[in-house]
Amino acid sequence: MQRTAVRALIVTAALVATGMTAGPPAAAQEEPVAHFVVLARKGAPLARTEASVRDAGGHVVRSWPQIGVVVATSPDAGFAAAVRPLPGVVAAGATRDLVELAGAPPAAKSSTVDGRVTPAAAEPLAENQWSMRQIRADQANEISGGSRDVVVGVLDYGVEATHPDLAPNIDASRSFGCGDEGIPDTSPGAWDTLPGFFPHGVAVAGIIAAARNGVGIAGVAPNVRIASVRMADSDGFIYPEHVICGYVWAADHGIDVTNASWTADPWVRWCDEDPDQAAGLEAMRRAIDYAADRGVVNVAAIGNANWDLSHPVLDDISPDNGEPMERLTGDNCQQVPAEVPGVVTVSGIGAEERKARNSNYGIRDVDVTAASGDVDQFPGTGEDNPGVLTTLSGGQWGYFGGTSAAAPHVAGVVALIRSTHPGWSPTHVVAALERQADRLPCPPGGVYDPDGTGAWLAHCQGGRSGQGFYGHGLVDALDAVTR
């Protein structure tokens, strides 16, 4: 399988043919530096930890007292080992596999999807939005398009604020970027689309909340507002410092729902037997937990490698910013954010409501499912394109796919539930989402082999419940506004 297809959800699977700065930037340094997270005991002041960072020869880039984490740089590859025994430190680890000290920068991520996007005519487009009918969003919107009080954070590659279907719903006051060392930056240039890359965030935003304005398409929750949170650095990577920035800043600035259609770099799964990965994993979990504790419902895509995450997975594509190594990953490893407890994890299906061939799965991992599109499942619409129609950059529309597309359908439904029941806690919201979902059964015998070649062979656990592939089932937008 091509590494670009699975090293992050930013690079979607082959499907369609057819941002006030909250802290000073790191001081300019002449020599190469590596990036680290240094963890204190939860709730402890960070002054002692920061002092230990400096004592070990590091530079404090940004401190996050909310979660007890310091982001640091050092020119010394041995910095993490040196700082771990010092006062105020409970864990420390490199966030980028130390490639920065290896003499060459990491290669940038692919700037295109693994597949092609076919532009669609601008008007009318509703006929081709099969994914909205699949979750009954079209019927839901006749009752409610969501509340202007609900803000969905699109944690991604940036959103085009001038797109005619997105401009009415962009909340610039809550948009920010984390791509520069994980330091929040609210200037428009920090949260606009990342130059040189596929407009992944634009596509995700359109599925969630493209405006119902007589132009192009409508999203699942066309009245809610969108905050663009650009997570990636200039090379397209989303490292732990970016993840921490995105979730903590979002939680502190009034975002109600987040969508993450990516996996944190450079490890597809972060394993706790490695001290560097363990520190990065714990720092990111603290940030995601912090957001959840402050009322944010976090939604994430499960990934596009046809992996059963509930069983050991052979990972031969990590680290994705250096030379990959083959390793067996099990219960001691987590994909971030999809496998972090409390996150709503979304698998993908096609137009015929069967598992998308590339979608990851797992009976202990999937919470719900939604449309990601699949090359074998055609909707029978006017253009009969198996992809999900959404917004693209340059004020355009086109087809998009992978579980990157499935997650925003769910984020939109969560936004409708939060709009309908503004007093509900995140736990209540997620319980309703799962209770209202429509069950999809496993295939006969639990065996899935869509093209008969074994290339996409998968085994579904759960029988008629379909839990192994679909969790609680296909989300239902109509129920979200009527129950």
Side-chain angles (χ1 to χ4, degrees):
M1 182 173 295
Q2 295 178 339
R3 283 166 52 197
T4 53
V6 292
R7 65 205 230 173
L9 304 187
I10 300 300
V11 185
T12 60
L15 171 66
V16 292
T18 23
M20 179 171 84
T21 307
Q29 301 181 46
E30 295 296 328
E31 55 191 332
V33 296
H35 291 71
F36 301 85
V37 285
V38 182
L39 283 66
R41 179 174 52 81
K42 278 188 176 181
L46 288 181
R48 181 64 268 182
T49 310
E50 293 169 343
S52 290
V53 167
R54 291 186 285 268
D55 290 345
H59 172 80
V60 175
V61 175
R62 168 82 191 199
S63 290
W64 295 97
Q66 302 98 318
I67 60 172
V69 173
V70 176
V71 176
T73 57
S74 173
D76 181 8
F79 169 79
V83 78
R84 284 176 193 136
L86 297 185
V89 177
V90 298
T95 64
R96 308 189 184 188
D97 193 39
L98 299 178
V99 294
E100 298 151 305
L101 301 183
K109 281 190 176 179
S110 170
S111 63
T112 61
V113 292
D114 184 15
R116 296 182 297 278
V117 174
T118 304
E123 185 70 29
L125 298 177
E127 179 188 357
N128 295 308
Q129 288 191 273
W130 61 267
S131 68
M132 295 298 161
R133 292 187 290 277
Q134 187 179 70
I135 64 171
R136 302 203 293 177
D138 56 332
Q139 297 177 57
N141 290 168
E142 293 178 3
I143 299 169
S144 172
S147 168
R148 300 298 289 173
D149 293 332
V150 172
V151 181
V152 180
V154 178
L155 278 56
D156 214 288
Y157 268 29
V159 176
E160 183 176 88
T162 59
H163 193 291
D165 252 348
L166 301 178
N169 290 337
I170 294 291
D171 187 342
S173 71
R174 288 182 171 85
S175 296
F176 62 98
C178 291
D180 184 5
E181 308 284 353
I183 299 172
D185 184 350
T186 61
S187 62
W191 53 264
D192 198 355
T193 52
L194 185 63
F197 285 81
F198 175 77
H200 193 274
V202 182
V204 166
I207 294 170
I208 297 170
R212 186 170 291 279
N213 57 1
V215 176
I217 65 169
V220 177
N223 291 347
V224 305
R225 290 178 291 160
I226 299 165
S228 174
V229 182
R230 194 167 85 195
M231 303 287 281
D233 68 11
S234 60
D235 290 321
F237 292 95
I238 300 176
Y239 293 117
E241 51 266 42
H242 307 138
V243 176
I244 294 165
C245 167
Y247 282 100
V248 175
W249 192 263
D252 286 343
H253 291 81
I255 289 177
D256 303 292
V257 184
T258 66
N259 185 89
S261 289
W262 42 266
T263 57
D265 298 302
W267 305 98
V268 177
R269 299 183 91 193
W270 293 71
C271 302
D272 60 18
E273 79 274 9
D274 178 280
D276 289 305
Q277 293 177 50
L281 175 59
E282 174 60 18
M284 291 187 286
R285 282 193 300 220
R286 286 188 186 185
I288 295 167
D289 289 347
Y290 178 84
D293 290 345
R294 275 147 189 80
V296 183
V297 177
N298 300 305
V299 178
I302 197 169
N304 300 317
N306 192 33
W307 285 350
D308 181 352
L309 297 179
S310 294
H311 291 84
V313 170
L314 183 65
D315 171 18
D316 61 359
I317 59 175
S318 299
D320 63 9
N321 67 341
E323 187 62 33
M325 61 183 72
E326 189 173 280
R327 62 195 186 129
L328 189 65
T329 64
D331 289 343
N332 61 322
C333 304
Q334 288 185 355
Q335 182 174 293
V336 180
E339 291 189 271
V340 174
V343 173
V344 178
T345 305
V346 185
S347 68
I349 61 174
E352 297 172 4
E353 298 187 357
R354 291 182 281 111
K355 177 186 178 296
R357 60 166 62 189
N358 62 307
S359 176
N360 289 348
Y361 58 101
I363 194 165
R364 291 182 290 135
D365 292 276
V366 182
D367 294 308
V368 290
T369 196
S372 68
D374 186 89
V375 293
D376 297 318
Q377 303 178 51
F378 288 84
T381 58
E383 294 185 347
D384 203 25
N385 192 300
V388 173
L389 184 60
T390 187
T391 48
L392 296 178
S393 59
Q396 300 299 308
W397 295 263
Y399 292 92
F400 178 58
T403 57
S404 284
H409 287 89
V410 176
V413 174
V414 171
L416 290 177
I417 296 174
R418 302 215 82 164
S419 299
T420 306
H421 303 283
W424 280 6
S425 69
T427 301
H428 199 165
V429 170
V430 173
L433 176 78
E434 295 175 346
R435 183 176 63 251
Q436 294 166 5
D438 302 316
R439 289 287 190 182
L440 298 176
C442 288
V447 178
Y448 170 84
D449 187 10
D451 59 7
T453 68
W456 301 99
L457 182 65
H459 297 275
C460 182
Q461 294 178 271
R464 292 187 60 80
S465 76
Q467 186 173 349
F469 281 179
Y470 313 116
H472 292 269
L474 176 63
V475 294
D476 192 319
L478 181 59
D479 284 354
V481 301
T482 57
R483 294 189 178 182

